[in-house]
Amino acid sequence: MKLLRKYTALGALSAIIFASSASAQVTAEEMEAAIAAATGDSAFVFNTFLFLSQGLIVMFMAAGFAMLEAGFVRTKNVSTILLKNISLFSIAGIMYYLVGYGIMYPGDFNGFVSWSGFLYQPDGGADLATGYSKMSDWFFQMVFVATAASVVSGTVAERIKLWHFLGFVVLLSAIIYPITGSWQWGGGWLAESNFYDFAGSTLVHSVGGWAALVGAIIIGPRLGKYTDGKVTPLPGSSMPLATLGTFILWFGWFGFNGGSQLALGSPGDANAIANIYANTFISAAAGCVAAMLVSQFMYGKVDLTLALNGVIGGLVSITAGPEYTNLLIPVLIGAIGGVLIPFSVRLLDTLKIDDVVGAIPAHLVCGIWGTLAVGIFYADFGIGTQLLGIISIGAFTVVATGIAWYVLNLFGGLRPSEEDEMAGLDKSELGIEAYPEFS
Amino acid sequence: MKLLRKYTALGALSAIIFASSASAQVTAEEMEAAIAAATGDSAFVFNTFLFLSQGLIVMFMAAGFAMLEAGFVRTKNVSTILLKNISLFSIAGIMYYLVGYGIMYPGDFNGFVSWSGFLYQPDGGADLATGYSKMSDWFFQMVFVATAASVVSGTVAERIKLWHFLGFVVLLSAIIYPITGSWQWGGGWLAESNFYDFAGSTLVHSVGGWAALVGAIIIGPRLGKYTDGKVTPLPGSSMPLATLGTFILWFGWFGFNGGSQLALGSPGDANAIANIYANTFISAAAGCVAAMLVSQFMYGKVDLTLALNGVIGGLVSITAGPEYTNLLIPVLIGAIGGVLIPFSVRLLDTLKIDDVVGAIPAHLVCGIWGTLAVGIFYADFGIGTQLLGIISIGAFTVVATGIAWYVLNLFGGLRPSEEDEMAGLDKSELGIEAYPEFS
Amino acid sequence: MKLLRKYTALGALSAIIFASSASAQVTAEEMEAAIAAATGDSAFVFNTFLFLSQGLIVMFMAAGFAMLEAGFVRTKNVSTILLKNISLFSIAGIMYYLVGYGIMYPGDFNGFVSWSGFLYQPDGGADLATGYSKMSDWFFQMVFVATAASVVSGTVAERIKLWHFLGFVVLLSAIIYPITGSWQWGGGWLAESNFYDFAGSTLVHSVGGWAALVGAIIIGPRLGKYTDGKVTPLPGSSMPLATLGTFILWFGWFGFNGGSQLALGSPGDANAIANIYANTFISAAAGCVAAMLVSQFMYGKVDLTLALNGVIGGLVSITAGPEYTNLLIPVLIGAIGGVLIPFSVRLLDTLKIDDVVGAIPAHLVCGIWGTLAVGIFYADFGIGTQLLGIISIGAFTVVATGIAWYVLNLFGGLRPSEEDEMAGLDKSELGIEAYPEFS
Amino acid sequence: MKLVRAIIKPFKLEDVRGALTDLGIAGMTVAEVKGYGRQKGQTEIYRGAEYAVAFVPKLQLDIVVGDDMVEKVVEAIVSNAATGKIGDGKVFVLDCHGATRIRTGEVGDAAL
Amino acid sequence: MKLVRAIIKPFKLEDVRGALTDLGIAGMTVAEVKGYGRQKGQTEIYRGAEYAVAFVPKLQLDIVVGDDMVEKVVEAIVSNAATGKIGDGKVFVLDCHGATRIRTGEVGDAAL
Amino acid sequence: MKLVRAIIKPFKLEDVRGALTDLGIAGMTVAEVKGYGRQKGQTEIYRGAEYAVAFVPKLQLDIVVGDDMVEKVVEAIVSNAATGKIGDGKVFVLDCHGATRIRTGEVGDAAL
Ligand SMILES: Nc1ncnc2c1ncn2[C@@H]1O[C@H](COP(=O)(O)OP(=O)(O)O)[C@@H](O)[C@H]1O
Ligand SMILES: Nc1ncnc2c1ncn2[C@@H]1O[C@H](COP(=O)(O)OP(=O)(O)O)[C@@H](O)[C@H]1O
Ligand SMILES: Nc1ncnc2c1ncn2[C@@H]1O[C@H](COP(=O)(O)OP(=O)(O)O)[C@@H](O)[C@H]1O
């Protein structure tokens, strides 16, 4: 920070255009060039600022995941899930810098895997030709990978060792997520096939969801969750934290979807982002209300936890294509997402797959639904291709994360001893309890 | 999100202006037109981004209300207030889309009620003539209505049935708030009268406050609050949550007031918003300190809950006109708002009106004060007209919400049974407690 | 807020340039002037918006400090620390307006103390020559002073009287912080010496840290913390709140560092901010991981509280110079910051200096480290000058705050009676407990 | 000397305490407990799974009194804690062989 | 009449309650307590300082039963709360001189 | 066998526990309770309304000991929990008819 900073306006660069005599008459061409330079500068700033401001909002989702999960796990595992959330975010970001980005954005390619090197480092200066600061783009991409990892942590909470989980985060953020990401956003084979996934219903949320599903199956349910063919609810520690987390995620999602427009530097882009914001809001709202109504009809009471999941479900559902100009469509898409939540929660319980926070219904099921919805509601995209994307990415992620979990399991086992699990991971893994005052 | 997005700069549109030969000389007129096109594009982006970024910040106030109210209700009603907050926001937004916006912005009119149709839907494209994306404006307006509804939920907490309360939210956001809103911001009769309410001290906060007051009177105080002519404090569940909520509201208020400038696309607008930010900050700070001092003098101790209310009081007080360039004025306005808080809290207790979170002092009393202050401190506006606005909107809202509460009461009563209230709404209405682990 | 606001584009001012006949031909000079006016307007808006949006994000750090500290103090002192946080922010802001800003930015000077008057008040209008709205700059500067004060409150928590602490805040924000601030950012003698501190590792964080250190020594440790040569841990009330606070601070730091670029109005500035964001993120991530690893090796378990401090340590470390284009450097700087945390926590315990939240390790130790790192990693700055800045500001702050604490102590003593401390300040100072329901 | 233990509905605390004060009882110790009995907790629902909460929040009052007071104390509790609905709670009486006031070392009835 | 007090590991509550219900025991009162005994709490760490937590969370069950049931109740608790590991807890038996049901005023065994 | 119950100020726990350990007492059970007595809670204030908090936080220690230890235990508690200020608490002694160690089934003094 400096005092009395020199006043450097936009268009400083445009000055160089007029090398010739200042008093000469200007032609239309010269003038267009001069204005284009100025507007190019301005667009560069807008686009860069979009990446940064929206990326920061997405980053804050990490706090949302932390609070949501802390609210949904039992008190004896709260400190552990907090630590997992703040460290997974740190680790995912570092790994994405070291390895992941190079895999996900390998430059021109249209195949399955490519690679542009370790330790992402763009030129230091402002590359005007790109239209945005490359580092701002990196920042925005980086915050996405942490989201995928956060999805996993909630599902497998309360019964996985800290360092094993973090090992999984390393593999997910360095390799697995970037590979499928490269297929579409990196310009790989899927992008060629006219698959569409605007901000990542499939590429981010379903990938996280599949990883979580495979993890939940391999690790198994928490002790006492399914006994004698009965589901025993293991209520979480704090509904205020879970609700706060949901609000923060909702907030962060505007960065997620809005920033995925990737440009703010023209009225068309700004207007598109406005539509995206409206879509994002109203789909979540519809998801919330729909989940509440289903809960009221199914149980005669409203289940707050399902309403919170309904918000997330509505958000994930619209993420694949939040660009409708008729808001009835996102209302419908979100509402269906909200309806899917209670039913898939029940289905998982029937299958004895223990998902502590409901991440699989919200991120995987609604991720699939949202991706399909693009095929239904947009004229330009077909259900077939959308299915192709869903299935190919799903298949790859299931196999890859299956291997990852398997390999990590070799190092002393993913799961703590029964006794440690019973005592809670805060005692056995961390040695610090969530509310440690009188203990 | 797409890879390698084409670089579309601002002013792409300006290119079409030069249909003629590129090497022709340009006239001053042509040049002015070309620059105007480019700056018009740029202003469009700025204005739209203002609506979106500030609207999002306002949206986050929903989390603030949720936390504040969760902290001020007793543990047995915390889950219910959380659910009310997240669902009221969802419902208010949807209703405003379906009905409310059409009433509030009916197009040219200067009367009492008009109507431009259901299901707001602007043209999909960027309408440059407007100067901002219409959908971004809708988004910004929408988040305001939720604020008014949030005010109500805090006051009537702990003793109203979930669905009845949500029914009230439907009526408030679809009809009642939009009607008074149209009088001023919709270009109705009040706007014609030179009434001034920059960001809604009266239109948003007092409307919510009146609705809350009428509700509190009709529903009556919580069991045990006023017994044998004595006030029995019913302390809330969590001061950390209440404080967090207050900080979030303070944060969100910058969106509220800053965004209400409605334009960022010129130095004048940007400078105005800077003044608004400084006013908004310092009025809240003064409200906080003033409430603390009054509390210290009245009770010999500082009441944290009054200090928190003081912040909100300072914010509501400055909302009607946060444009002063001399910061002593907002300091004064906020401080008076802060002083009003403890006294109006006491007045309500004397009248046996039970306001769980202090929304009536903060939003209604300070809303009135702030609206009057415009008449005192701005040369352009008179106290008479300000009073006219306060009274007409107050009278309409009291009558309309009175009818609304009355009608809803017909459906089995607004209030749960004594036993249900005693057990807490979390048990009787939701079946999920705030900290449900060992219960 | 007004309906149908007139469409005022950027460059409205540029129109006046063409006073002459509209159909005349334009010269290159005229054209450059016209474009410069338009881009100047645009830069003004960008720069102002940067101050406002980043300043607001910094403001939210107040909530982060409040939550972090509430989580780290014992339950019986939680309400008091909440009140301290919200009121210190209010008071610091008001004092900076009344007195501090005039000391910190006295206009042209290169000495030790100067002064441009009370009650900061810039011209009301938009001063285009400055390149940004002056009030937006004030807002941005103001939120910084509150940060320094927040650092102090955490260290001396649980054992200092409310009003005495607030008295210290008055002196710190009105006089002490502005004086050292003026040496560098105000254009004083240190700025002349080629000292570099981009966003305040020394000017903000170390100043707060020194003040905290002096306070902790003068006030002494909490009862029972160091007994019989043994350290007795006094665990805090809530890890979820502490974690939430850390996430909020991390979020806010992007405003802190990003906004300190002080300009967004050119591609170069936008690009610089992108680098700053990437640096800020990755240094914190490295600090977190490094603190975790050290904790794992030192104790065989990961200490969540140290991981949280590690994040802050990484952030403070990079604050003096977050402009690297090679991200390995901030990784290294942050990691060293993270490693410093556990060791300086231990050192303080050895010296029987009781720092409740770990503010001295994170803000002072890492602040020194970060300032030195500038001398190591940037070619333009030398370790000698960096040391000069560290030592001169440290010496002044130690002396000035020592006097401040001493004087305040004369008014009945800084410290509550043993009995009051034992009962908790929430009872003795406030009369409201953090969770007051059944008490 | 006897220890009278009352398990009551939480919201009845003030009434009971008032009645005991009227009898001249100057001290008691209260714990928050969970009661299991005829009164069943309401059915709760969590993530779509319903479950019966077996335990209901109660307050447990332990009051040590001289033998002569026992009957009056029990009576005062019964009449002030009753609502007539299931779950009103119980009063148990246990023998207490001695009491000491920590502050003064007084023993017996003087310690109460 | 006796008051049987059991201090058990928290996760054994359901098993014990089930066994008692099978014996026809209709009521009990449960408190969350901290136990100190042979079982030591794990070493915790807070801000780099390690400390042994002396206390371990336990549940304390107070069950008033008729004299004839005491033995069966103790037995049921012992067999259902045991894991064989240190810290399983204790069962104590105290005399209880009387019980009153607040709702009805019934006394003695009828009050249980 | 006796159950010694001590109600003490919370911050005295460590002192008392230390003294008991010195006597060879290996176990106890502690509950957080609210005490009502001569010591009044401070006046609190909430939303501008003042109210006297009737209850003060205390810790309740239940220690079952053999008859021979009772006196020493009571004495140790009294001397270690006293501050001389109102509210130091009480020690009560109740009869205990039996103890069983759940883990082993041992009964009587061997179970302690
Ligand atoms: N045998 C018992 N031993 C200890 N506590 C009991 C016993 N029976 C009941 N209680 C306590 O008394 C409370 C009320 O008993 P309950 O059977 O629900 O209703 P009621 O008091 O109307 O008979 C229970 O919640 C429990 O705390
Ligand atoms: N003398 C005692 N008086 C009261 N409670 C006791 C006593 N001894 C043990 N306890 C309780 O029993 C619990 C278990 O005792 P512990 O010695 O840890 O293991 P075990 O039951 O296997 O012998 C303790 O945590 C404590 O709550
Ligand atoms: N009759 C009683 N029965 C049960 N507990 C009591 C009784 N009298 C006092 N206590 C407990 O002892 C505590 C201290 O008593 P108090 O009268 O405040 O001071 P002191 O111990 O100095 O006489 C009370 O808070 C309460 O928990």
Side-chain angles (χ1 to χ4, degrees), chain A residues 64-108:
Chain A
F65 280 111
M67 293 300 111
L68 182 83
E69 296 177 13
F72 278 164
V73 304
R74 286 167 293 170
T75 306
K76 62 185 176 182
N77 296 312
V78 165
S79 287
T80 306
I81 205 74
L82 293 168
L83 181 60
K84 278 180 188 160
N85 270 279
I86 202 156
S87 58
L88 83 80
F89 187 62
S90 299
I91 290 172
I94 293 175
M95 292 317 299
Y96 198 66
Y97 158 61
L98 294 177
V99 183
Y101 192 89
I103 296 179
M104 185 142 165
Y105 293 98
D108 268 348

Side-chain angles (χ1 to χ4, degrees), chain A residues 152-228:
Chain A
V152 183
S153 86
T155 296
V156 302
E158 308 202 52
R159 61 193 190 283
I160 185 173
K161 290 181 195 158
L162 173 65
W163 290 106
H164 286 73
F165 172 73
L166 295 178
F168 183 79
V169 171
V170 167
L171 298 175
L172 185 73
S173 55
I175 302 171
I176 301 171
Y177 168 92
I179 288 179
T180 46
S182 78
W183 292 358
Q184 173 76 2
W185 293 340
W189 71 274
L190 205 52
E192 296 288 300
S193 322
N194 201 36
F195 175 68
Y196 195 71
D197 186 8
F198 185 78
S201 282
T202 287
L203 270 83
V204 181
H205 297 282
S206 291
V207 164
W210 289 116
L213 178 65
V214 176
I217 291 172
I218 289 183
I219 300 168
R222 286 168 291 172
L223 292 176
K225 177 71 195 270
Y226 304 111
T227 40
D228 325 330

Side-chain angles (χ1 to χ4, degrees), chain B residues 77-98:
Chain B
N77 296 311
V78 165
S79 287
T80 305
I81 205 74
L82 293 167
L83 181 60
K84 277 179 188 160
N85 270 278
I86 202 157
S87 58
L88 83 79
F89 187 62
S90 300
I91 289 172
I94 293 175
M95 292 316 300
Y96 197 66
Y97 157 61
L98 294 178

Side-chain angles (χ1 to χ4, degrees), chain D residues 27-29 62 64 101 103, chain F residues 35-36 38-39 58 87 89-90:
Chain D
M28 73 181 89
T29 301
D62 279 0
V64 176
R101 188 190 305 277
R103 172 165 47 100
Chain F
Y36 177 76
R38 275 173 197 74
Q39 183 200 6
K58 302 278 172 198
K90 318 279 178 192

